[in-house]
Amino acid sequence: MIFHRIDKENWARKPYFEHYFNLKCTFSVTANIDITALIEQIQHKGMKFYPTFIYMVSKTINAHPAFRTCFNDEGVLGYWEQMIPSYTIFHPDDKSFSSIWTEFSEEFHIFYRYVREDMKHYADMKGLFTKEKVPPNSFPISCLPWVSFNGFNLNIHNGGDYLLPIVTGGRYVKEENKTLLPISIQVHHAVCDGYHASLFIQEMQQLADDCHKWLS
């Protein structure tokens, strides 16, 4: 895992970073994406939606340094060469959840297989973090398949130095002839603006529209 240090003194974003970091300013954007074609494709192929969703989120996050910018374990500001998804799995028997992670691959079918293997292996292991040695270059993904929300927000009181995005998906619903998926992305304004959050939503929609290309 490669961590690129940011020379803050020569960084064009420095004044924005310092302003919003001092304010501890975070924000979230929630939007529906049209996954009509995507659902049809994965159902036809007998595939699962959640691993597919995790791939789409991870691919979009990895496409932009703004989403990979954070402090490393030594408190140095920079960005990771690649991010790894840390995602939640649900335990139906006691209604608890665990967070596990999977190495990312740009190749969808490879990543999909890895996620399915991890989900199966850790399905009956209870605890918050059941897959040990969580990589420092991981970011959180969660899912609320029970509700189709219009907004979602997490409040993290850790001094305001958590800079990575937090992505949450909801229950997809049918409206007229479309299947819509609510997605929320929460970011720190020190490293991301409304433009970046909007770009995330737009590129998730583009992946859904072009699913026949990367699912084949």
Side-chain angles (χ1 to χ4, degrees), residues 39-162:
I39 290 296
E40 291 176 353
Q41 285 285 320
I42 63 176
Q43 288 180 346
H44 176 73
K45 295 176 181 295
M47 305 179 79
K48 299 292 185 180
F49 175 75
Y50 191 33
T52 306
F53 172 72
I54 295 171
Y55 171 80
M56 293 169 64
V57 172
S58 301
K59 184 174 177 60
T60 306
I61 292 298
N62 275 304
H64 303 282
F67 296 136
R68 294 180 269 124
T69 301
C70 63
F71 295 104
N72 67 8
D73 292 340
E74 299 173 351
V76 176
L77 181 66
Y79 61 93
W80 293 104
E81 183 75 17
Q82 186 183 75
M83 298 297 296
I84 292 173
S86 175
Y87 52 93
T88 55
I89 56 174
F90 186 67
H91 305 296
D93 56 345
D94 65 358
K95 308 301 186 289
S96 66
F97 72 91
S98 298
S99 181
I100 63 175
W101 56 273
T102 299
E103 290 284 352
F104 181 66
S105 171
E106 286 279 345
E107 177 57 50
F108 168 71
H109 293 283
I110 293 175
F111 179 73
Y112 181 90
R113 184 176 75 251
Y114 289 165
V115 172
R116 293 285 286 154
E117 289 173 352
D118 278 337
M119 286 182 169
K120 181 178 180 180
H121 181 78
Y122 292 96
D124 299 321
M125 296 186 189
K126 303 298 175 59
L128 183 53
F129 298 105
T130 48
K131 186 174 181 180
E132 298 179 348
K133 299 179 180 178
V134 181
N137 59 323
S138 62
F139 74 98
I141 300 175
S142 61
C143 185
L144 277 70
W146 312 278
V147 60
S148 180
F149 51 74
N150 294 316
F152 184 87
N153 189 63
L154 288 170
N155 301 302
I156 302 176
H157 299 284
N158 67 336
D161 62 354
Y162 187 83

Side-chain angles (χ1 to χ4, degrees), residues 11-22 189-191 193:
W11 190 29
R13 190 171 177 84
K14 179 185 176 182
Y16 303 90
F17 177 87
E18 291 184 339
H19 177 73
Y20 290 112
F21 185 76
N22 290 334
H189 207 346
V191 293
D193 303 322

Side-chain angles (χ1 to χ4, degrees), residues 174-192:
K174 287 189 176 294
E175 291 187 7
E176 297 180 350
N177 296 320
K178 295 182 179 180
T179 301
L180 302 178
L181 172 73
I183 298 178
S184 174
I185 179 169
Q186 182 160 318
V187 295
H188 201 302
H189 207 346
V191 293
C192 288

Side-chain angles (χ1 to χ4, degrees), residues 197-210:
S198 301
L199 193 63
F200 173 83
I201 298 297
Q202 292 168 6
E203 294 191 4
M204 286 290 290
Q205 183 62 68
Q206 195 64 53
L207 282 171
D209 291 342
D210 295 340

Side-chain angles (χ1 to χ4, degrees), residues 14-32:
K14 179 185 176 182
Y16 303 90
F17 177 87
E18 291 184 339
H19 177 73
Y20 290 112
F21 185 76
N22 290 334
L23 288 175
K24 299 179 175 58
C25 178
T26 66
F27 69 93
S28 62
V29 171
T30 302
N32 286 327

